[in-house]
Every structure is written in structure tokens, then in C-alpha cells.
Amino acid sequence: MSGITSGIGLASGLDTASIIQQLLAVESRPKILAQQRLTQIQVQQSAFLDINSRLQGLRSIVSGLRTQPIFDAKSASSTDESILTASASAGAAPGSYAFLVDRLVSTEQRLSRGFSAADDVPISAGSFTFEGAEARLDRDTALADLNGGNGITRGIIRISDGTTTAEVDLSRVATVSEVLDAINATDVDVTASVQGGTFVLTAGSGNGSDVSIENVGAAEVVESLGLDGTLLVSGATATGSNVYGLSTSTPLSLLNDGNGVFANEIIGDTEDFTISVDGVDYQVRLGDLYELVDDEFELTEGRAVTVGDALDRINDALDGSGVTAQINADGNGLELFDSTGTRSIELAEGTGLVGSALADLGFAAGTTTGTVSGEQVLAGMNSTLARTLAGGAADLGDGVLQIRARDGTIFNMTITDFDTDVNGLLQQIRDNVDTSKIAIGLDEMGTGITVTDLTGGTGNLVVTGSTGATDTAVALGISTGVSGVAADSVSGERLQRQYIGLNTLVSDLNGGRGIGTGSFRIIDSSGAVSEVTIDSDTRTVADLIREIDAAVEGDDLEVRINDNGDGIVLIDNGTDGTVLRVEDRSGSVASALNIAGEASGTDADNFIDGSFEVTVEFEPDDDLRDVARKINEAGVGVSASIVNEGIGANPFRLALTARESGAAGRTVIDTNGFDLGLELLDRGEDAKLFFGSSDPAKGVLITSSTNTVTDVIEGLTLNLEAASDSPVTINVSDDSTELETRIDEFVSAFNETLDRIDFQSRFEPETEVRGPLLGDGTLLGLKAAMIATVTGAPDNVSGPFDNLSDVGITIGDGGRLELDKDALRAALEQDADAVEDLLIAREIESTGREIEFGEGITVTDPTGRETFSSLGILAQVEELARTYVDSVDGVLTTRNEALDRQIELQRDRIEQFDLRLADKQLRLEREFATLESVIAGFQAQQAALSSLVL
């Protein structure tokens, strides 16, 4: 339908468009009123949202005060920040703490001999083997483990050989090796060593006098070393009393060279092993103990942690049997003592379990009459158990050895005691040779035995064993064959100490870096794909093996600790011919376990060995830079770089630096016969400091693998900056700075909320400007409630403070708050806990959520509110704010929802008005068009009549 195309009627001459608009304007008055009402409601809603936002902020500030340890905040200051700085968390106890920083952490560093070029000149290296220091057989024993875990008395001793006297300062020593080094560094003709759990002093034969040792001062240092009363005749050897052995407080984790004692973590009553006495079975469990209650197992006691715990578990089980578990007389193993010597005692491991707790305690399965003596489970100081060699499966043969020196002297012997440690084995060999002709010891890497000829002879050095049984010389890696070698020394093969067991913590792997978390994929010979996910709850290697076993599809894949005891191995026993593969999916767990990649082949070679002994292979034409690159790509325990000295014919050197600092970063490096000429620049030492005294002999010794030390004092973190001979004091005090800031924020937020309430409900008489919420009852009630809350008292809170003004928060005009920080500090000094209770005490009496319907049926009421047995004043403000801003039934929330409905209603009305006006416009346009048509008709008739008259 066509409309009016011009504002002026052609026939009538009327301005019809203006007439229609005026008529519609009159008709639009209700719509304008609706639009004005919509705007008013939207302004009111905006005002309420403004107040809602302020209350949300106020509530958040109080919640932060209540949930964060602000009231317990501490600060730490140092008397010499160039030596030691510190930071304190809420748990730190205020006080002054003295520390003496003895040394900072250092990192192991080695430097090779010089080479003529870094590039393009092959160095002809074959391969280098890298492994962590845990592979060494001469592990350093901490002094803290001596004397039943009580350590030694540190101080100064005096040693004299009649000619020379030296004072040896043992005030700062931390390990057995440090004690030995300090004594052996003197000019006194005496040599200190260890054997088993004892210190040994050997006097030189050329001094012509006796050797004496005594304390300097009152500290009983000599006695704590087991050397009390030692007086040596020239050339003699004196062995001290045993200072290192098992006690009831010895951690089980220390046994078996740190491989510990396995305990199954199975919910239920499964035993770890069984002891039968005269046919009666007694079951022993070292893991968590459970009790069946209402058809469910409940934990009643945690796993055995110490030797005493293990003995208690065994003796509790054996109660009434007449057999008692105890530490043996040598203090290095356990025994089952039968007072009659006639009882039949049978031992058996638990069935269907992963580990072998019985063997870990030193006992073999089988039957014995009378007392059962277990094997040695604790090596002597600075040594390793012989039975942990060859990955824990050592067979050292029949003990027969023959050593022929280069001068032709022959030494025949039979080692009779293999239930000992490596030092014990070496000492048995030394006892059967002339030590002036043959020296027996460990190689520089500490992983094998060396036999050194001291005779100066020209014949071959020969080391052999027997031929009828397992050859002991071969087992010890020192066999030369019957022809021997034309050299002064035989350096034995690596004896492969087991240092990874089921109890090994995965967090200790990779030099303490652990393996992280993530997932990896195993593709076996059948093509089956298994996804393995390792989370933070994987604590031990046993857990790791269980996780992999549980994830693997089928029965063809075997997962266990490898033969060398230095990693896990995945063995594919399938026959389908596909190469076993492992791929990281997320994280790098498989790479960290050294199992990412492919097996070397199929069938018998279809396995992946995750050994932490890594060999880096080199090509014949690899230059020095290639060697450094391949070492770095292998991810071993050191990083390689090239140093250019800039002078000489061979200025380029290979620098090898441990990736981890301290003793944990020490690395065994075997160049496999290649002359790399490595020089040890820094051994890699832990940081050392003493706490509690300016005299290190009296202070508590603390070591750390980094220069950041935590938890010496709970909540205190120390940052070591430099070593010093003078003590530094760290002062820890309560720190109210953060609390003052937060309370200041609360005061500001509270006042701003009142300001916004006043602004939104304002009336300015001069300009007659009105706030959008003028006279609103909700807003007036909120303001009154806020003022009443802060001027009131806490709910059911006792203490010396009754209101906010008592702690420096005063109420001024219009309910505005002011903070007096000095008064707040004074109140905190008087009773900080009472200030905290006054402000933010919040004890829930009932959640108000559960509705009981009887017969054990309950439902949750989403609108239920907690009730409180006590509530501080600021906590009351928090609850007041929640009453207004709660997303379900808050006062402002429901008010906003009501305004939303009103806005929608007004918009609907305006839409209806628009429809009616559009309809009205069309109707008027049609009527005016009809009018124009009628007028035009009349005009045409008039014209026609006029023409007839003419």
C-alpha cells in the first residue's frame, strides 16, 4: 500500500505529515512516561550494583584477614646481610637465633688435559661412562649416625708420636671422612682409618716412640670416637670401640646400603613374612596395620619406620613363642634368639607380594634349630655391604685367591667371610699379603678394587682364583688370568653396587630431581598400547612398578629393577617380533627414568634398561666440540663446555661441571681407558653452618645441598651469602605491617561503602538534586546495620578487648572508621590472639544445610545458612555483607532481580506502545489519503461544472 509521499496534500494543501506527527505525539505521552520510568529503574539498578560491588569488596577484605595467616606474620632481620639473610613465615617463633656460616655450597668441577683444537681435530675417544656418586663403594658416613644416632662430641683433640704433636680441630666436621682427613693431614706419624663400626689408628714404625691421643679441653671428643684411652706402641694398630651400629632408633631406610626394608602397602591383614616356631605360625606385617570394623578395614597403626619398630612388630607376633627378635652382638644385623637352642624355627616370605621383607631384614627362608642369625644389614663406616654388589645378587665364589707380585712373591689365601662389607673383604685380603709389597684398595672412582704392586719387580702382576668353583678373582673383577699383566696395578671392573631398590624414593632419583609427573605410552611386541600415568602419589620405586604393571595390557611385559640394581628394566617376552617402544605423552617421566626410546632388537634383546649408568659413545672422527655436545645431549649428571686458555700448543680443555650442587651432584666418570687427563678442581661440598653457638663445637651442625636452608627453625628460610668466622644473628619478630595494611584497607572500604550509600540516597537542597535511591528503605537499613555492627560487640568472644576502639579502630561522624596504628600495635603487643578473636573469630555451630527426613535420609538446603557459636566484629561485617550480596538469596540480589523484572515490564510496555503508534500512524495516513482523494474528486467535478457554464 502506497503512503503519502509529500508532507503537503496536493488536493487539500494541508501539511498532513505535521498533523499526523502532532496527533502521534499526543498519543505517545504514555510511552514517554514508560521510558522515563525505565531510565529511573536502570539508574536505581546501577546504584544498587554499585553498593553490591562495594559490599563484595568489603567481604573479600575480611575473608582475606580471616583465611590468610596475617595475624601471625613474622619478619626476619640479619645483623650482617653480607653473610646471611632470612625470611620468616607465619609459623616462625619470635626470637634471636645465632648462626655461623662455615662454608657455602660448591659444585663438582673437572678439567681435562689440553687439546690443540676444539674443532675438526678428532680426539679418538671411544666412550665415556657416567653415573651418580651413589654407585661408589666408599660412601661417606655422616657423623650424626654414630653412637646410636647421637653423633659425636665435636671439639679439639691432641695427637702425639713422642716427637711431633698436633692439635686436630674436629669442631666443624660433618662426616667420617672429614675426621680421617683432619687426622691424616697432621705431621704426626699415625694413620687413621675405619673398619666396620670402629676408628682405627696405625702408628708409624719409624718414630721410635708411642702414640697418644687426648682431648683438648673438657669436651669428650676422643671418647665419642671410641678411642678413649688409646695408647699405641710404635708400629702398632689400635682399634677403637664400636661407634657405628644398629640401635632401636636406626631408620629402616638406612639398612641394606640405603635400600631399606620393603613393607607391603596393602589394605587388609596380609603378612610380609611368617615365622613358624615348633609348627605354630606367627605372621608379621611391617606395613600399615588394619583392623576389620563393620566389614571395613580401618588403619590402626602406621608402617614400621625404625629397627625398634620392626623388632616390636616381630616380638608382638612371637609373643608366647619363646623366641625373641633382637639386634646381634656385633650391632650390624638381627637375630631370632631361642633361649633353649632347641626350637625349630621356619621362616617364609609372604606369598604373592612384590618385595621381600624377610630378606631385607637379613633372614633367609628355611628351617633352623635354635637361634637364627641374620646376615649383616648395616655396612661399616664409609663402606658398602658385599651382598649388594652385582646388583644385589653377588656370588663371590669360593674365596680362593692367589696374588703373585712382580718380584715373584706369591700370596695364597681363602676369604672366609662374605657376610661383611667391602672394607671387610679388602681387609681380609690385606691380612693375607705383605702390605709393603701389595696394596689393596678401591680405584679412584670408588667402583672397583685395585691391586697395586709395590715391589719394583719386573715380572707380571698376577691375580687369579680357583678353577673348580665360581672364581672369586673374577667375581671381584680383579682377575688377570694366569699370564698376568706387565703393570704395577690391576684396576678391577665396576662391581655394580645396587643403589635402587623397591623402597627407593622416586624423588631421590636423578640426583634428587625426581622424575616429575605425567604419562607415557608403552607399545609392546604385539602392538598393544598401554598408557601409564604417574601422579604425585607415586612415592617409591615399588609404587612405580605397580603403576606400570597395572596399566600394561597382557602378560608379556615384565617390569622390575634391573640386574645392576641401578634402574628399572622393561622386558618384552612376546614373540610377535615388534620392537618394544616407550614414548612420553605428557611431562617427561619416561625420559627421567631412562626408558624413553626403543629396545635394541627383538626376541631376547627386546628390552629397555633404564640404568642410571649412562655410556656416551663417540665416533672415531669426533672432535672436542662433538664430545661436549654428545655429553650434553645425553643428559648425564654433568654439563660439558670448552675452555680456551688462549696460550700454549694445547689451549683447549673440556670442562665438566655437575648439574646439581653439593655432594649430591658428585659424578663417577669412567673414560674407559681414554686419557682425558681429568683434574678435580672442586669436589662438590654441601653448604655447612652451625646453629645456636658462636663455638661450632657446641652448635648444631646443619648441611644443605643449596645455599638456601629451610626448616632449621620452623618457618625460617636462610639464604647463605658468604662464609664467616663470626656468628650472625637472625632476629625474628611479629610483623604487623601487613595486618595494618589490611585493616587500613577494611577501614577505607567500609567508609567508601557508607559514602556510596549516602551518595546514592542524597538530596541537595540548593540544587534539589536527588540520588536515585533517596528514601530507599533497603539502603537505609543497610547503613544502619553497618554502623550498628562496628559499634557493637563481638559475639561470644572473651578477652581484654570489647570493641573496635580498644584496638585502635574508632568510629567518627556518620559511622566512618579511623585507624590508629599505634593503638593497634599496642593491642597486638598486649594480646595478639585477643585482637584476632575480637576482629575475625568465626566458629561455625551448624552449617544449616542438612535437612533430616528421618530413617537416615538427609537433603541439602541450598539456601541454608551457617549459625555461629562465636563471631568477631569484622566477621560480623562479613556475614552482614553476605546477607546482602549472596548470589542465591542476598537482599541486594533479590532486589536486583525485582528491578530486572520491572525493567522487562517497562520494555514490554514500550514495545506495545510502539506497536499501537505504528498502527495509529498507518490509520491516519490512510484517512488523510482518502480525504485527499475525496477533495480531488470534488475539485474535478467543480472544474467540469465550470467548463459547462462557460
Side-chain angles (χ1 to χ4, degrees):
M1 162 180 157
S2 61
I4 301 173
T5 58
S6 173
I8 306 299
L10 297 177
S12 67
L14 297 173
D15 186 354
T16 57
S18 295
I19 295 171
I20 291 173
Q21 289 303 317
Q22 292 176 29
L23 291 171
L24 290 176
V26 174
E27 194 75 20
S28 297
R29 288 175 182 171
K31 174 187 172 181
I32 294 171
L33 293 175
Q35 289 175 325
Q36 292 173 344
R37 179 56 181 158
L38 174 61
T39 300
Q40 182 184 28
I41 296 172
Q42 288 174 327
V43 171
Q44 289 178 340
Q45 186 178 51
S46 178
F48 275 122
L49 289 175
D50 176 35
I51 302 303
N52 187 85
S53 175
R54 304 287 174 170
L55 288 176
Q56 289 279 20
L58 194 60
R59 181 187 179 194
S60 177
I61 291 172
V62 179
S63 178
L65 275 169
R66 184 171 51 77
T67 58
Q68 298 173 14
I70 298 169
F71 282 87
D72 295 327
K74 303 294 189 298
S75 64
S77 61
S78 170
T79 56
D80 191 341
E81 293 190 349
S82 66
I83 303 299
L84 185 64
T85 62
S87 59
S89 65
S96 295
Y97 305 98
F99 295 94
L100 181 65
V101 180
D102 184 63
R103 71 182 178 212
L104 300 184
V105 73
S106 63
T107 302
E108 183 184 64
Q109 297 185 61
R110 288 184 171 92
L111 194 64
S112 77
R113 64 177 172 87
F115 292 86
S116 62
D119 303 288
D120 302 326
V121 177
I123 67 170
S124 302
S127 65
F128 297 163
T129 300
F130 300 85
E131 194 166 12
E134 55 267 27
R136 296 184 66 99
L137 306 179
D138 55 352
R139 299 173 302 134
D140 202 357
T141 302
L143 293 174
D145 292 328
L146 272 55
N147 295 306
N150 293 317
I152 70 164
T153 300
R154 296 193 307 277
I156 300 174
I157 62 174
R158 183 182 295 112
I159 299 179
S160 175
D161 61 9
T163 302
T164 305
T165 300
E167 289 190 354
V168 182
D169 188 353
L170 300 181
S171 300
R172 300 169 183 252
V173 290
T175 67
V176 168
S177 291
E178 290 181 0
V179 173
L180 301 179
D181 292 343
I183 295 175
N184 293 330
T186 68
D187 293 331
V188 179
D189 192 12
V190 64
T191 301
S193 61
V194 291
Q195 191 67 45
T198 64
F199 284 92
V200 179
L201 294 180
T202 302
S205 58
N207 56 50
S209 182
D210 297 338
V211 173
S212 64
I213 179 172
E214 60 184 355
N215 294 310
V216 175
E220 296 183 346
V221 183
V222 173
E223 291 82 353
S224 70
L225 293 173
L227 299 172
D228 182 24
T230 299
L231 185 64
L232 296 182
V233 176
S234 175
T237 294
T239 300
S241 60
N242 197 316
V243 294
Y244 182 62
L246 294 177
S247 70
T248 55
S249 61
T250 302
L252 291 176
S253 59
L254 197 65
L255 274 53
N256 300 306
D257 294 339
N259 290 314
V261 175
F262 183 80
N264 283 279
E265 296 182 3
I266 301 173
I267 295 178
D269 55 4
T270 305
E271 76 282 358
D272 285 302
F273 55 89
T274 299
I275 302 174
S276 297
V277 180
D278 289 338
V280 179
D281 290 344
Y282 301 91
Q283 296 180 339
V284 181
R285 181 173 182 134
L286 301 180
D288 294 337
L289 297 181
Y290 294 86
E291 182 178 341
L292 191 61
V293 178
D294 296 332
D295 297 327
E296 291 187 3
F297 283 104
E298 292 186 1
L299 179 66
T300 58
E301 186 178 341
R303 60 180 295 159
V305 175
T306 66
V307 169
D309 294 338
L311 293 176
D312 288 343
R313 292 286 180 89
I314 297 172
N315 288 326
D316 287 346
L318 289 174
D319 187 31
S321 69
V323 175
T324 303
Q326 60 189 26
I327 296 170
N328 65 20
D330 292 330
N332 58 20
L334 305 180
E335 64 182 15
L336 298 175
F337 178 71
D338 173 19
S339 59
T340 67
T342 60
R343 294 183 174 92
S344 173
I345 303 175
E346 182 180 1
L347 305 178
E349 296 279 8
T351 56
L353 303 178
V354 176
S356 51
L358 188 65
D360 290 343
L361 290 173
F363 295 109
T367 303
T368 303
T369 299
T371 296
V372 181
S373 297
E375 293 182 308
Q376 183 174 348
V377 292
L378 182 70
M381 290 185 287
N382 288 14
S383 192
T384 300
L385 291 174
R387 64 189 179 93
T388 64
L389 303 180
D395 182 357
L396 299 180
D398 59 6
V400 174
L401 279 178
Q402 183 185 86
I403 300 176
R404 186 173 70 194
R406 299 193 72 180
D407 69 351
T409 305
I410 295 176
F411 302 100
N412 291 308
M413 69 199 75
T414 300
I415 298 174
T416 58
D417 182 11
F418 288 120
D419 183 20
T420 182
D421 56 29
V422 171
N423 277 351
L425 287 177
L426 299 181
Q427 189 58 45
Q428 290 179 74
I429 301 175
R430 294 188 191 106
D431 290 342
N432 287 279
V433 299
D434 182 347
T435 55
S436 68
K437 293 187 174 185
I438 296 292
I440 306 295
L442 294 179
D443 59 25
E444 183 182 357
M445 294 180 295
T447 59
I449 299 172
T450 60
V451 180
T452 303
D453 183 280
L454 304 175
T455 66
T458 58
N460 281 1
L461 174 62
V462 181
V463 183
T464 58
S466 65
T467 57
T470 302
D471 191 324
T472 296
V474 171
L476 293 178
I478 54 177
S479 176
T480 64
V482 294
S483 58
V485 295
D488 288 335
S489 181
V490 173
S491 185
E493 299 174 357
R494 297 165 70 88
L495 292 181
Q496 301 295 348
R497 170 192 168 245
Q498 180 188 8
Y499 58 83
I500 292 180
L502 293 174
N503 294 297
T504 301
L505 298 176
V506 295
S507 59
D508 288 342
L509 301 179
N510 291 297
R513 298 190 304 275
I515 62 173
T517 59
S519 63
F520 57 89
R521 174 182 291 173
I522 301 175
I523 303 95
D524 66 16
S525 60
S526 69
V529 178
S530 303
E531 293 279 348
V532 181
T533 300
I534 302 301
D535 297 319
S536 56
D537 59 351
T538 303
R539 193 178 65 89
T540 65
V541 170
D543 295 335
L544 176 68
I545 292 174
R546 275 194 291 262
E547 293 279 359
I548 298 174
D549 270 336
V552 168
E553 301 290 339
D555 300 323
D556 290 336
L557 192 70
E558 177 186 358
V559 185
R560 59 175 174 82
I561 294 173
N562 65 13
D563 292 341
N564 285 342
D566 60 7
I568 65 169
V569 61
L570 278 62
I571 304 172
D572 193 328
N573 296 311
T575 58
D576 292 343
T578 301
V579 175
L580 174 67
R581 301 197 315 275
V582 178
E583 305 168 349
D584 273 311
R585 299 288 290 166
S586 65
S588 56
V589 173
S591 297
L593 289 169
N594 299 322
I595 59 173
E598 291 188 350
S600 57
T602 57
D603 299 329
D605 293 327
N606 206 9
F607 67 89
I608 297 176
D609 191 341
S611 170
F612 282 90
E613 176 188 308
V614 179
T615 298
V616 182
E617 303 283 350
F618 305 113
E619 299 297 329
D621 60 350
D622 279 345
D623 55 33
L624 194 63
R625 197 171 302 281
D626 293 326
V627 170
R629 175 180 54 80
K630 288 186 176 181
I631 291 173
N632 290 330
E633 289 175 350
V636 295
V638 299
S639 59
S641 58
I642 295 173
V643 176
N644 183 0
E645 292 183 329
I647 57 174
N650 298 304
F652 296 97
R653 297 180 180 233
L654 185 68
L656 300 178
T657 303
R659 295 181 183 272
E660 300 294 324
S661 59
R666 294 173 186 168
T667 305
V668 173
I669 303 175
D670 187 351
T671 60
N672 298 315
F674 178 76
D675 179 20
L676 190 58
L678 284 178
E679 176 186 358
L680 184 63
L681 302 181
D682 195 314
R683 184 167 177 258
E685 299 286 359
D686 287 340
K688 186 193 295 183
L689 69 158
F690 297 89
F691 162 65
S693 175
S694 58
D695 181 359
K698 298 178 181 178
V700 177
L701 171 62
I702 300 148
T703 60
S704 172
S705 60
T706 70
N707 286 327
T708 298
V709 182
T710 59
D711 294 334
V712 175
I713 303 295
E714 184 178 1
L716 191 65
T717 298
L718 303 173
N719 299 300
L720 280 58
E721 307 293 343
S724 174
D725 291 329
S726 301
V728 176
T729 300
I730 299 296
N731 295 304
V732 178
S733 59
D734 292 318
D735 185 2
S736 64
T737 304
E738 180 68 11
L739 177 60
E740 292 170 17
T741 299
R742 295 295 188 90
I743 293 180
D744 214 3
E745 290 175 355
F746 168 80
V747 168
S748 297
F750 186 90
N751 292 341
E752 287 172 5
T753 302
L754 291 183
D755 290 343
R756 296 307 295 176
I757 291 174
D758 289 346
F759 177 78
Q760 300 295 2
S761 60
R762 72 191 183 282
F763 175 71
E764 300 174 4
E766 298 83 1
T767 59
E768 295 189 353
V769 172
R770 299 169 180 266
L773 300 179
L774 177 63
D776 184 88
T778 299
L779 222 56
L780 294 174
L782 171 59
K783 180 178 180 180
M786 290 177 64
I787 295 174
T789 301
V790 296
T791 56
D795 184 12
N796 198 26
V797 172
S798 60
F801 309 122
D802 298 321
N803 51 60
L804 292 182
S805 62
D806 290 342
V807 296
I809 305 174
T810 57
I811 294 90
D813 292 340
R816 270 60 175 180
L817 301 180
E818 294 180 1
L819 174 61
D820 183 342
K821 293 183 179 180
D822 291 335
L824 175 61
R825 294 187 197 112
L828 289 169
E829 290 177 4
Q830 179 182 341
D831 193 335
D833 291 338
V835 174
E836 182 176 2
D837 289 342
L838 174 76
L839 299 180
I840 60 169
R842 187 176 185 269
E843 294 184 9
I844 297 175
E845 187 174 48
S846 171
T847 62
R849 298 282 183 175
E850 300 296 327
I851 301 176
E852 296 284 347
F853 281 93
E855 298 182 0
I857 300 174
T858 60
V859 297
T860 300
D861 179 7
T863 63
R865 288 290 183 87
E866 296 97 339
T867 57
F868 302 93
S869 56
S870 66
L871 209 58
I873 296 175
L874 300 196
Q876 291 178 23
V877 174
E878 179 186 8
E879 291 306 309
L880 174 64
R882 186 173 68 154
T883 301
Y884 277 81
V885 302
D886 189 278
S887 60
V888 176
D889 60 354
V891 173
L892 295 184
T893 301
T894 56
R895 187 64 182 272
N896 185 63
E897 291 170 351
L899 292 174
D900 279 338
R901 291 192 294 270
Q902 291 183 44
I903 288 171
E904 189 62 30
L905 176 63
Q906 294 303 321
R907 285 175 174 163
D908 289 344
R909 290 184 64 198
I910 291 170
E911 183 179 352
Q912 292 300 318
F913 282 129
D914 285 339
L915 292 174
R916 287 165 55 188
L917 289 171
D919 182 64
K920 181 74 171 181
Q921 181 176 353
L922 288 174
R923 190 167 65 253
L924 289 172
E925 288 173 350
R926 286 196 298 269
E927 289 175 352
F928 274 102
T930 300
L931 176 62
E932 288 297 323
S933 176
V934 171
I935 293 174
F938 286 152
Q939 289 174 341
Q941 290 177 5
Q942 183 180 22
L945 290 174
S946 297
S947 63
L948 289 176
V949 172
L950 293 174

